[in-house]
Amino acid sequence: MMTHTMRPWMLVLAAGLIVWAGTLHNSFHYDDVHSVVDNIHLRITSFAAITQAIPTYLTDPGTFSIDADKGMYRPLLVTSFALNHLAGTWLGVGGYDVVGFHVVNLALHVGCALLVMWLTGLLGGSRRAGLLAGVLFVLHPVASEPVNYISSRSESLSVLFYLLGVCLYLRAESGNRRWLWGAWLAMAAGLLSKSTTITLPAALLLLDLFVLCRGDLRRLGRRLLHRHLGGWVVAGVYLAIISGNGWLGRSVAQEVRGPWEQALTQMKGAVYYIMLLATPVRQSVEPQFAEQTHFSVEVAGPLLLLLSMVVAAFWLARSACWRALFLLCWACLHLLPTLVVPLNVLVNERRAYGPMAILCVGAGILLASLGMRQQRRVLAWAGCLVLSLLSIERSQTWADEFSLWEDTVRKAPLMSRAHLYLGNAHKDAALHTQDVATRSRHWQAASESYATAYERARDLDLQLRALNNRGGVHFALYSEKRAGGNTRRDLDVAEQLFRTAVEKSPDYADAIINLGSTVLEAARWAKTRQARQDLLRQSIIFYERALQVRPNHYQAHSNLGVANQDLGHLEAAERHYRQALYLHPGDWLTLKNLASVLLLLADRDLASDTDEAARQRLVEAHRMVQRALRLNPAVANGRQVLEAIESRLRTLKERD
């Protein structure tokens, strides 16, 4: 039988599982591709391998992503992704089964909710206050991004250890220093998940000053050495590590915006987070939010609101409302790193996750102090129902790329990134569609989205991606029309877009690869064998140049396979196709192309009467082309390659 003490905890657990259960089959999204799906550093298939990989995660920020230039020092987060891959492999559902990743994200969110309950009690709140705080946190729609977006696990994982550190610090008031050591270990784990945990020592200092010492500076001074030194040592060691591995230097060296522009922009940002927490009704993965470069009426309102918060803090101090003062200051402190440090993304929902946990503690204590008469109980249940419905609705938006980015474009039509990713959704749909008319509509929509993304882009990265992807649309249209005697118009448009991207950024690997592909296509128009071979060798130069910039670019290896196959260098083609599949095992086009090369090699074996070698190649080719067709039934020439392989296998059987 459930005890009276356990009932609130089980209610919060049940509420979280019921409201967020619908997220388990939602897809991977945008940054998940480079940090999870394509990240070769996560492909762990045994417990022995994970023990060997962890030291690398702890020392190399590059393991965070397949792209070294997107590396971040978050080794505990990377380890959690690798363990997800290991568990999926061990269970036989595949290392990238999205359900397993969502289960962990949901478990972390529920864990944070339970810690919110514990913290409420440790700060003097009643059992009812803890229940209210936990339910409010676990149901709040702001949690939709950390629950639904796999890469946002960094937020929930770091907040989990952040809250745990504060709880253990408060438990150490009992006199047992083991709790204090636990707080420092929790802080270290939080820092290894996300760098925003760096504010924890300052938060504990505020906790000591306002709650434990009740504003008595002398008492705080006597506690500094034995109660706080450990936290600052952990922070110092962390800073030394990220300085030593180069991640801190690279992060600081990026010039995003000046201090004045950052201050003005984040004045608006602070108000955005307040409104998001208070009225989470128009959430967007890419809010319509612009950089502020000068003081204006648009900044005056947020400035007055922030000044009023400062006045409120002074009033709380004069009124000796120490607990409320601590929670207000702590919420601001938790958000401070993202407000002060200039980042490419101006604002996003997940940054409010930690402050939400803190404010839910205060809200739970406040609501419990008001009593729970019949009318208030009805209002409380109604509030929970509204939050639940908003969270469920928001999770449905995260179901796939179309639902997510169509919603974002509708709510933030001026944001370039929203149009870029909606274009990607249309592009992927076109590549997986067999119906010609439907495919044409998707290509048209993708081209329009990329054009809009380019027009509205304010930074070079988005401009480059929009140009390159729009060129990719025209290249795909050319490839589809080539068999019907296409006049090369789409190919010429694609080449011009790729060249523009390379002119803007000579080291932009994606556009360099695509330029190589236009040269490869030109080879197929060549009138002499020598001209064709010269153009194929030129395309190889482009692909190798791209690999110098990004050594792990699977598409460069895949296209090198195509060029070598056209040159008749079948062994080299096979080698590059296999490397491309190692980097991206689910690339259906490379699977089909490798199957076609194995078919050609098998034909050579059959001609030289080495039947067993031919059989082995054909069996592998058959397996690969079948997998390619399962991944994408519309893969070009897939059925023809499959029929040719099956024909050769029948020939071998007749020989036997």
Side-chain angles (χ1 to χ4, degrees):
M1 183 179 294
M2 188 187 303
T3 65
H4 186 65
T5 304
M6 289 296 296
R7 190 173 299 151
W9 301 86
M10 298 306 294
L11 284 172
V12 170
L13 175 62
L17 294 179
I18 291 170
V19 169
W20 300 105
T23 67
L24 297 182
H25 293 279
N26 288 355
S27 67
F28 290 109
H29 292 285
Y30 54 120
D31 282 350
D32 291 340
V33 175
H34 74 82
S35 62
V36 180
V37 178
D38 289 347
N39 191 351
I40 58 175
H41 308 292
L42 307 182
R43 293 176 191 165
I44 304 299
T45 56
S46 68
F47 287 103
I50 194 74
T51 58
Q52 295 172 358
I54 287 175
T56 306
Y57 298 158
L58 287 168
T59 55
D60 184 7
T63 58
F64 175 79
S65 171
I66 183 68
D67 301 334
D69 57 346
K70 295 179 180 176
M72 292 186 178
Y73 188 67
R74 297 177 179 177
L76 191 58
L77 174 68
V78 176
T79 301
S80 77
F81 289 153
L83 288 171
N84 258 128
H85 186 278
L86 174 61
T89 304
W90 184 68
L91 292 171
V93 295
Y96 293 107
D97 176 57
V98 75
V99 174
F101 284 87
H102 278 302
V103 166
V104 174
N105 275 32
L106 177 53
L108 288 171
H109 176 55
V110 172
C112 287
L114 298 178
L115 285 172
V116 165
M117 292 182 67
W118 189 24
L119 178 58
T120 304
L122 290 171
L123 287 173
S126 64
R127 186 178 300 152
R128 178 177 292 168
L131 175 61
L132 289 169
V135 168
L136 182 60
F137 178 80
V138 84
L139 298 181
H140 202 289
V142 165
S144 59
E145 189 166 331
V147 173
N148 283 280
Y149 179 29
I150 302 304
S151 291
S152 195
R153 182 184 297 180
S154 59
E155 204 70 46
S156 52
L157 192 60
S158 64
V159 168
L160 180 86
F161 288 114
Y162 201 122
L163 293 172
L164 180 61
V166 176
C167 289
L168 294 176
Y169 184 87
L170 285 168
R171 285 292 284 119
E173 284 298 295
S174 64
N176 190 335
R177 287 190 61 83
R178 284 182 296 180
W179 295 109
L180 201 57
W181 285 104
W184 307 146
L185 287 174
M187 178 183 173
L191 286 168
L192 296 178
S193 305
K194 193 173 183 181
S195 57
T196 49
T197 312
I198 198 75
T199 62
L200 181 54
L204 295 179
L205 199 61
L206 291 175
L207 172 64
D208 222 340
L209 173 62
F210 294 144
V211 178
L212 301 178
C213 296
R214 302 185 65 81
D216 187 342
L217 291 174
R218 290 185 179 180
R219 184 183 173 195
L220 177 65
R222 292 193 297 269
R223 293 162 58 90
L224 281 177
L225 186 62
H226 68 281
R227 299 283 294 181
H228 292 276
L229 180 61
W232 294 100
V233 168
V234 171
V237 170
Y238 172 75
L239 290 173
I241 290 172
I242 62 176
S243 297
N245 63 30
W247 181 61
L248 180 62
R250 288 192 297 272
S251 301
V252 173
Q254 295 178 0
E255 295 184 8
V256 179
R257 69 189 62 86
W260 175 245
E261 290 81 4
Q262 175 68 8
L264 293 175
T265 301
Q266 292 308 325
M267 280 183 197
K268 295 194 306 180
V271 176
Y272 162 79
Y273 293 121
I274 293 170
M275 297 302 295
L276 175 67
L277 291 169
T279 57
V281 291
R282 280 189 59 83
Q283 291 178 261
S284 173
V285 70
E286 183 82 3
Q288 191 149 297
F289 192 94
E291 181 178 326
Q292 192 73 24
T293 58
H294 59 280
F295 192 86
S296 66
V297 176
E298 195 174 0
V299 182
L303 180 59
L304 289 173
L305 181 58
L306 294 176
L307 289 174
S308 68
M309 291 177 63
V310 173
V311 172
F314 277 109
W315 180 82
L316 290 171
R318 287 181 61 85
S319 304
C321 298
W322 300 113
R323 187 170 56 186
L325 178 61
F326 163 65
L327 292 172
L328 176 62
C329 293
W330 182 21
C332 296
L333 177 67
H334 192 281
L335 201 55
L336 189 63
T338 57
L339 296 178
V340 173
V341 179
L343 301 172
N344 287 316
V345 178
L346 299 176
V347 293
N348 59 37
E349 293 176 8
R350 62 182 175 272
R351 293 175 191 167
Y353 187 74
M356 178 179 71
I358 299 163
L359 295 176
C360 283
V361 172
I365 294 172
L366 176 62
L367 291 172
S369 69
L370 297 176
M372 291 297 285
R373 296 175 182 174
Q374 185 64 31
Q375 290 180 336
R376 288 173 182 164
R377 284 197 183 96
V378 172
L379 288 174
W381 281 108
C384 290
L385 179 61
V386 170
L387 289 176
S388 299
L389 292 175
L390 287 172
S391 294
I392 291 170
E393 181 186 32
R394 187 62 188 156
S395 292
Q396 291 171 347
T397 303
W398 281 88
D400 56 46
E401 291 288 89
F402 268 117
S403 59
L404 181 64
W405 295 109
E406 284 177 345
D407 174 80
T408 307
V409 166
R410 185 168 58 253
K411 293 174 180 174
L414 299 181
M415 303 307 290
S416 172
R417 195 187 314 272
H419 293 279
L420 179 74
Y421 281 103
L422 181 58
N424 289 347
H426 281 291
K427 178 192 70 175
D428 291 341
L431 292 171
H432 287 79
T433 300
Q434 292 177 295
D435 180 71
V436 176
T438 303
R439 189 164 64 240
S440 178
R441 286 196 298 271
H442 280 303
W443 284 130
Q444 181 63 31
S447 182
E448 291 172 358
S449 292
Y450 291 141
T452 304
Y454 181 74
E455 290 171 4
R456 297 178 183 176
R458 294 294 177 266
D459 62 81
L460 181 61
D461 177 65
L462 290 174
Q463 290 178 358
L464 294 174
R465 291 159 71 183
L467 281 170
N468 181 68
N469 291 3
R470 192 178 181 200
V473 170
H474 284 281
F475 188 86
L477 289 171
Y478 157 78
S479 299
E480 288 187 1
K481 299 172 185 176
R482 182 176 56 202
N486 181 264
T487 60
R488 288 192 50 166
R489 177 183 174 278
D490 282 307
L491 182 62
D492 293 338
V493 172
E495 181 179 359
Q496 183 56 48
L497 289 166
F498 297 146
R499 288 195 182 280
T500 302
V502 172
E503 287 169 5
K504 286 177 173 286
S505 178
D507 289 334
Y508 185 42
D510 289 359
I512 294 170
I513 291 168
N514 287 331
L515 263 180
S517 296
T518 63
V519 175
L520 188 148
E521 285 299 323
R524 292 170 177 170
W525 290 78
K527 295 182 179 179
T528 66
R529 183 172 180 273
Q530 185 60 47
R532 181 173 180 272
Q533 289 185 336
D534 289 344
L535 287 169
L536 287 171
R537 292 190 182 97
Q538 287 179 34
S539 73
I540 288 174
I541 292 172
F542 277 104
Y543 300 141
E544 290 176 342
R545 176 183 161 192
L547 285 173
Q548 290 175 356
V549 179
R550 281 179 54 189
N552 288 331
H553 204 306
Y554 82 91
Q555 197 173 12
H557 281 289
S558 184
N559 289 6
L560 276 168
V562 174
N564 278 286
Q565 183 176 348
D566 285 359
L567 282 168
H569 303 160
L570 299 184
E571 287 81 3
E574 179 186 3
R575 185 174 66 253
H576 284 293
Y577 285 144
R578 290 191 186 279
Q579 181 63 18
L581 287 175
Y582 168 73
L583 295 169
H584 187 18
D587 185 47
W588 39 267
L589 186 57
T590 304
L591 283 165
K592 187 268 295 184
N593 286 343
L594 178 55
S596 67
V597 164
L598 291 174
L599 174 62
L600 292 172
L601 289 169
D603 284 341
R604 193 172 65 183
D605 292 334
L606 288 170
S608 59
D609 293 326
T610 52
D611 289 6
E612 186 56 34
R615 181 179 288 104
Q616 291 177 6
R617 293 188 198 274
L618 289 169
V619 168
E620 184 183 11
H622 190 266
R623 186 173 65 250
M624 287 190 168
V625 76
Q626 281 188 321
R627 186 176 173 214
L629 288 166
R630 282 196 302 272
L631 290 168
N632 183 7
V635 60
N637 302 321
R639 299 289 175 189
Q640 293 91 321
V641 173
L642 179 62
E643 290 171 3
I645 292 168
E646 290 176 343
S647 173
R648 303 302 193 281
L649 286 170
R650 286 194 296 270
T651 300
L652 277 173
K653 190 174 182 180
E654 290 169 1
R655 285 192 183 186
D656 294 339

